[in-house]
Amino acid sequence: MKIALMMEFSQAGKNPIVLEQLQSVAKEQGHEVFNVGMSGDEDHRLTYIHLGIISALLLSSKAVDFVVSGCGTGQGALMSLNAWPGTVCGYCIDPADAYLFAQINNGNALAIPFAKGFGWGAELNIRYMFEKAFTGAKGLGYPPERRESQNTNAGILNQVKAAAAKPLLEGLKALDQELVKQAVGGERFQSCFFDHCQDAELAAYVKSFL
Amino acid sequence: MKIALMMEFSQAGKNPIVLEQLQSVAKEQGHEVFNVGMSGDEDHRLTYIHLGIISALLLSSKAVDFVVSGCGTGQGALMSLNAWPGTVCGYCIDPADAYLFAQINNGNALAIPFAKGFGWGAELNIRYMFEKAFTGAKGLGYPPERRESQNTNAGILNQVKAAAAKPLLEGLKALDQELVKQAVGGERFQSCFFDHCQDAELAAYVKSFL
Amino acid sequence: MKIALMMEFSQAGKNPIVLEQLQSVAKEQGHEVFNVGMSGDEDHRLTYIHLGIISALLLSSKAVDFVVSGCGTGQGALMSLNAWPGTVCGYCIDPADAYLFAQINNGNALAIPFAKGFGWGAELNIRYMFEKAFTGAKGLGYPPERRESQNTNAGILNQVKAAAAKPLLEGLKALDQELVKQAVGGERFQSCFFDHCQDAELAAYVKSFL
Amino acid sequence: MKIALMMEFSQAGKNPIVLEQLQSVAKEQGHEVFNVGMSGDEDHRLTYIHLGIISALLLSSKAVDFVVSGCGTGQGALMSLNAWPGTVCGYCIDPADAYLFAQINNGNALAIPFAKGFGWGAELNIRYMFEKAFTGAKGLGYPPERRESQNTNAGILNQVKAAAAKPLLEGLKALDQELVKQAVGGERFQSCFFDHCQDAELAAYVKSFL
């Protein structure tokens, strides 16, 4: 699985801590990590608004399979990512959240608080969440006897998101294009996106900003 | 403020507990509560998918000012509500979440886990969250010196959601209409919606299902 | 009620934040606060071991009615305070903990983690815990129908602690006396203790170290 | 390592759930589990008071190396266990707690809330706590550079507990002996204790109640 980590300006200084935990867990489980957001306070500036845009581009183009995002409380990233079709982003503060979200909702993104509750032990908790988010089968239901009903609703949610939203490219073009330009301006994002993007139209659109 | 509480089938049996806490806090603070989802296991059946639809109708028509929703983990309700334009829904598990979401994100909905972590003391925690969610001014920023930046991003998120989504009525019509019919079939929803709806087109659309 | 706040070296820098919240809540509810531990990194040095000693002195002499303590995870303070007879110290990380401990266990001390989980919103959470710890009646039971059984067990716990422990003064004298000397060496502790101590023997013992 | 699980009357019905998780983790790591408390609502009745007594007997006699206990909020078990010399019991609600307690405090018991916060996902959380509590080395410090200071204080705490308390047998004899009789009356406790007890005096004392 290809996993993108994306962090915004307010907690950019914590990127090395989070990346280390994610890479360590991903390595054990054979996943690949792309650090596509800010890697420190002086990096190309992104807000949670931009994270939503690059998450949509990466997931919809199948450049990556999963996105780990967050901000101070995680709520901004959560809502920004969920604003877009094709992104199904849960909120995660403990390892059981990560497991339950994988089994019940089978989504493709997580939003994590990187400031709220982030004290001693935070990097442990983050590691444990990644262990449970990225191990084993998904969509098994919880409790297991509710699997069918939960899978059905997860499928309907995808249809609802598709019905409620414009096609992604149309939605992106309806934005202030300066937002998109800033969102796609980071080198590590571009490298991940262009190396793995499987959607020619989205690739062309992103290229138009460079 | 008008507050709608909406619960789905999986935790419908807990509606009286949650409603009692919400009404008690709302009364102290002069808010009005509408219990528009399931009130017990035998009530008109709603899933978190339907909650997203009625939340969008109530908020976009200004029938209510705020929505309290949830499901087993809260994640389904969270994503279903956030799928729609005009709904800005945070995830809330403790009183500080409620306060921070009000100050930083200034949204109009909360999703709460009604099964995960819901043991002894859960009704206390719910009450304390409501106390902090519905008291005092909003949008003050946290920490306060980040107010301007946080308000700016909250405003941009609204624009992003509007750009990414179809107009609400168009989105609703793009759904399987059986979903909408079921969503709007509850008496308490209808009573709240028709008494307070300020959008004639949405009212006509809902009426077409009765 | 007289409430002593006591913090050790590892989190001494956070004393002003915690004290501010405690004083604010105490003022609303008519309680008096004594800041008897470290008030900053350069203050008279105390570890959680010392906190246990001064907590026992303050509570057993009735100089104060309640102690708020803590350390990095809170566990060291928790065990150090509970080592002594007359101190019944709970662990508290959320407002419902504070309420339940007051109703079920009716103890006289709390230990709080001041580093683990202490990020954005921590001072809010601390304030909300104090609001629930220091408001209203105690020992009411939770759920209320278990009141009698819970009060009975709380009473038996006091007997058990008295049976398991030496009398306080004897226990204190069995310690390395350098520990006691350091524990009682702070000015703010001394001021609180000597102004309000109702036990002449304990007062004489403490005086012997000055 | 020999691990005793002990649960009291108020949450006895959850013993099978907790035991299953503990056995599963222990098996992976080569530990042995003894289920010495209540295994269901109809079992030999124990309160958290009794848990403290059997915990002291098992740990001080080296019949077991570690105790997992709890009650509704966990606070009663926590204080009851910590009332006795030789028991160093932490409070644990998430996996990071378990890890930090092992590294910083290096204690020999945990108290867990089996009702507060115990909803969906509780058995997952319990499993994850056990995974972190019983894997790998202990006493490494957290953060690692504080190891020496933390180990020193953990050692001093043991001395303080020994100074504050009577010798265990003397303390037990100072109790209402009906409490001890009830505490040691369970078959599974007796089997674990007599099979592994390494203290002839304590064994003789317990035998006197049979």
Side-chain angles (χ1 to χ4, degrees):
Chain A
M1 194 159 72
K2 294 191 181 67
I3 304 169
L5 171 64
M6 49 179 73
M7 294 173 68
E8 55 134 43
F9 78 104
S10 75
Q11 311 302 322
K14 293 172 184 159
N15 180 256
I17 299 171
V18 179
L19 180 61
E20 182 188 355
Q21 301 301 329
L22 180 56
Q23 282 177 325
S24 165
V25 172
K27 196 177 173 184
E28 284 174 17
Q29 304 182 3
H31 302 310
E32 198 176 355
V33 172
F34 299 86
N35 189 29
V36 302
M38 292 180 72
S39 66
D41 289 334
E42 303 308 311
D43 203 359
H44 178 76
R45 184 180 167 90
L46 300 171
T47 68
Y48 64 76
I49 300 291
H50 302 117
L51 300 190
I53 296 169
I54 60 175
S55 165
L57 286 167
L58 291 168
L59 288 169
S60 290
S61 70
K62 300 190 194 303
V64 305
D65 304 295
F66 204 95
V67 166
V68 173
S69 70
C71 52
T73 62
Q75 309 272 5
L78 172 75
M79 296 188 297
S80 171
L81 268 71
N82 277 316
W84 297 100
T87 303
V88 176
C89 179
Y91 188 77
C92 192
I93 64 157
D94 71 31
D97 285 332
Y99 178 84
L100 293 172
F101 183 69
Q103 302 312 323
I104 298 173
N105 304 99
N106 202 357
N108 54 12
L110 288 176
I112 295 174
F114 291 129
K116 200 234 163 190
F118 204 98
W120 266 24
E123 79 289 358
L124 300 170
N125 191 44
I126 284 203
R127 181 191 180 86
Y128 303 162
M129 293 195 293
F130 292 154
E131 288 176 356
K132 303 308 174 185
F134 299 125
T135 316
K138 297 186 177 183
L140 300 179
Y142 182 90
E145 63 271 22
R146 294 225 182 140
R147 176 180 183 168
E148 194 181 331
S149 150
Q150 291 171 346
N151 284 358
T152 299
N153 284 328
I156 296 175
L157 179 63
N158 290 334
Q159 296 166 24
V160 166
K161 285 181 67 82
K166 297 170 192 159
L168 176 58
L169 198 49
E170 190 183 327
L172 290 169
K173 288 181 178 172
L175 285 180
D176 174 350
Q177 296 300 287
E178 284 302 312
L179 283 176
V180 184
K181 188 176 180 186
Q182 182 69 13
V184 303
E187 273 182 40
R188 277 173 280 101
F189 162 75
Q190 292 172 12
S191 164
C192 173
F193 179 75
F194 288 117
D195 285 359
H196 301 288
C197 171
Q198 300 177 31
D199 183 309
E201 275 194 313
L202 287 175
Y205 176 64
V206 173
K207 225 164 254 165
S208 72
F209 290 98
L210 309 188
Chain B
M1 195 159 70
K2 292 190 182 68
I3 303 169
L5 171 64
M6 48 179 72
M7 294 175 66
E8 55 134 43
F9 77 105
S10 76
Q11 311 303 323
K14 293 171 186 160
N15 178 258
I17 299 171
V18 179
L19 180 61
E20 182 188 354
Q21 302 301 328
L22 181 55
Q23 282 177 325
S24 164
V25 172
K27 196 177 173 185
E28 282 173 20
Q29 304 181 4
H31 303 310
E32 197 177 356
V33 174
F34 299 86
N35 189 30
V36 302
M38 291 179 72
S39 65
D41 290 334
E42 302 308 313
D43 202 359
H44 178 76
R45 185 179 167 91
L46 300 171
T47 69
Y48 64 75
I49 300 293
H50 302 117
L51 299 190
I53 295 169
I54 60 174
S55 165
L57 286 167
L58 291 168
L59 289 169
S60 290
S61 71
K62 300 190 194 301
V64 305
D65 304 294
F66 203 94
V67 166
V68 174
S69 71
C71 53
T73 62
Q75 308 273 4
L78 173 75
M79 296 188 297
S80 171
L81 267 71
N82 277 316
W84 297 100
T87 303
V88 176
C89 179
Y91 189 77
C92 192
I93 65 157
D94 71 30
D97 285 332
Y99 177 83
L100 293 171
F101 183 68
Q103 302 313 323
I104 298 173
N105 306 97
N106 202 356
N108 54 13
L110 288 176
I112 296 174
F114 290 129
K116 200 235 164 192
F118 203 97
W120 266 23
E123 80 289 358
L124 299 171
N125 191 46
I126 284 202
R127 180 189 181 87
Y128 303 162
M129 294 195 292
F130 292 154
E131 288 176 357
K132 303 308 174 187
F134 300 125
T135 315
K138 297 187 176 183
L140 299 180
Y142 182 90
E145 63 271 23
R146 294 222 183 143
R147 176 180 182 168
E148 193 180 333
S149 151
Q150 291 171 345
N151 285 357
T152 300
N153 285 327
I156 297 175
L157 179 63
N158 290 333
Q159 295 167 23
V160 167
K161 286 181 68 84
K166 297 170 192 160
L168 176 58
L169 197 49
E170 190 182 329
L172 289 169
K173 288 181 177 171
L175 285 180
D176 175 350
Q177 296 300 288
E178 285 301 313
L179 283 176
V180 184
K181 188 176 179 185
Q182 182 69 14
V184 303
E187 273 182 42
R188 277 174 279 99
F189 163 75
Q190 292 171 12
S191 164
C192 173
F193 179 73
F194 289 118
D195 285 359
H196 302 288
C197 171
Q198 300 177 33
D199 183 308
E201 274 195 312
L202 287 175
Y205 176 63
V206 173
K207 226 165 250 164
S208 73
F209 291 97
L210 308 189
Chain C
M1 195 158 70
K2 293 191 181 68
I3 303 169
L5 171 65
M6 48 179 72
M7 295 174 67
E8 54 135 43
F9 77 104
S10 76
Q11 312 302 323
K14 293 172 186 160
N15 179 257
I17 299 171
V18 179
L19 181 61
E20 182 189 354
Q21 302 302 328
L22 181 55
Q23 282 177 324
S24 164
V25 172
K27 195 175 173 187
E28 283 173 18
Q29 304 182 3
H31 303 309
E32 197 176 356
V33 173
F34 299 86
N35 188 30
V36 303
M38 292 180 71
S39 65
D41 290 332
E42 302 309 312
D43 202 359
H44 179 75
R45 185 181 167 90
L46 300 171
T47 68
Y48 64 75
I49 301 292
H50 302 116
L51 299 190
I53 296 168
I54 59 175
S55 164
L57 286 166
L58 291 168
L59 288 169
S60 290
S61 70
K62 301 191 194 302
V64 305
D65 305 294
F66 204 95
V67 166
V68 173
S69 71
C71 53
T73 62
Q75 308 272 4
L78 173 75
M79 297 188 297
S80 171
L81 268 71
N82 277 316
W84 297 99
T87 303
V88 176
C89 179
Y91 189 77
C92 191
I93 64 157
D94 71 31
D97 285 333
Y99 177 84
L100 292 171
F101 184 68
Q103 301 313 324
I104 297 174
N105 306 98
N106 202 356
N108 54 13
L110 288 176
I112 296 174
F114 291 129
K116 199 233 164 191
F118 203 98
W120 266 23
E123 80 289 357
L124 299 172
N125 190 45
I126 284 203
R127 181 190 180 86
Y128 302 162
M129 293 194 292
F130 292 154
E131 289 176 356
K132 303 307 174 186
F134 300 125
T135 315
K138 297 186 176 185
L140 299 180
Y142 181 91
E145 63 271 21
R146 294 223 182 142
R147 176 180 182 168
E148 193 181 331
S149 151
Q150 291 171 345
N151 284 357
T152 300
N153 285 328
I156 296 175
L157 180 63
N158 290 334
Q159 296 167 24
V160 167
K161 286 182 66 84
K166 297 170 193 159
L168 175 58
L169 197 48
E170 189 183 327
L172 289 168
K173 288 181 176 171
L175 285 180
D176 174 350
Q177 296 300 287
E178 285 302 313
L179 283 177
V180 184
K181 188 176 179 185
Q182 183 69 14
V184 304
E187 273 182 43
R188 277 175 278 101
F189 162 75
Q190 292 172 11
S191 163
C192 173
F193 179 74
F194 289 117
D195 285 359
H196 302 287
C197 171
Q198 301 177 31
D199 183 309
E201 275 195 312
L202 287 175
Y205 176 65
V206 173
K207 226 164 252 164
S208 73
F209 291 98
L210 307 189
Chain D
M1 195 159 71
K2 293 191 182 68
I3 303 169
L5 171 64
M6 49 179 72
M7 294 173 68
E8 54 133 45
F9 77 104
S10 76
Q11 312 301 323
K14 293 172 184 160
N15 179 257
I17 299 172
V18 178
L19 180 61
E20 182 189 354
Q21 302 301 328
L22 181 55
Q23 283 178 325
S24 165
V25 171
K27 196 176 173 184
E28 284 173 17
Q29 305 182 4
H31 303 309
E32 198 175 356
V33 174
F34 298 86
N35 189 30
V36 303
M38 292 179 72
S39 65
D41 290 332
E42 302 309 312
D43 203 358
H44 178 76
R45 184 181 168 91
L46 300 171
T47 69
Y48 65 75
I49 300 293
H50 302 116
L51 299 189
I53 295 169
I54 60 176
S55 165
L57 287 167
L58 291 168
L59 288 169
S60 290
S61 70
K62 300 192 194 302
V64 306
D65 305 294
F66 203 95
V67 166
V68 174
S69 71
C71 52
T73 62
Q75 308 273 4
L78 173 75
M79 297 188 296
S80 171
L81 267 71
N82 277 316
W84 296 99
T87 302
V88 176
C89 179
Y91 188 78
C92 191
I93 64 157
D94 71 31
D97 286 331
Y99 177 84
L100 292 171
F101 183 68
Q103 302 312 323
I104 297 174
N105 305 97
N106 201 358
N108 55 12
L110 287 176
I112 296 174
F114 290 129
K116 200 235 163 190
F118 203 97
W120 266 24
E123 80 288 358
L124 300 170
N125 190 45
I126 284 203
R127 180 190 180 87
Y128 303 162
M129 294 194 292
F130 292 154
E131 289 176 357
K132 303 308 173 186
F134 299 124
T135 314
K138 297 186 176 185
L140 300 180
Y142 182 90
E145 64 272 21
R146 294 223 183 142
R147 177 181 181 167
E148 194 181 332
S149 150
Q150 291 171 346
N151 284 359
T152 300
N153 284 328
I156 297 175
L157 179 63
N158 290 333
Q159 295 166 25
V160 166
K161 286 181 66 85
K166 298 171 191 158
L168 176 58
L169 198 49
E170 189 182 328
L172 289 169
K173 288 180 178 171
L175 284 181
D176 174 351
Q177 296 300 287
E178 285 302 312
L179 282 176
V180 184
K181 188 176 179 185
Q182 182 69 14
V184 304
E187 274 182 41
R188 277 174 279 100
F189 162 75
Q190 292 171 13
S191 164
C192 172
F193 179 74
F194 289 117
D195 285 358
H196 302 288
C197 172
Q198 300 176 32
D199 183 309
E201 275 194 312
L202 287 176
Y205 176 64
V206 173
K207 225 164 253 164
S208 73
F209 291 98
L210 309 188

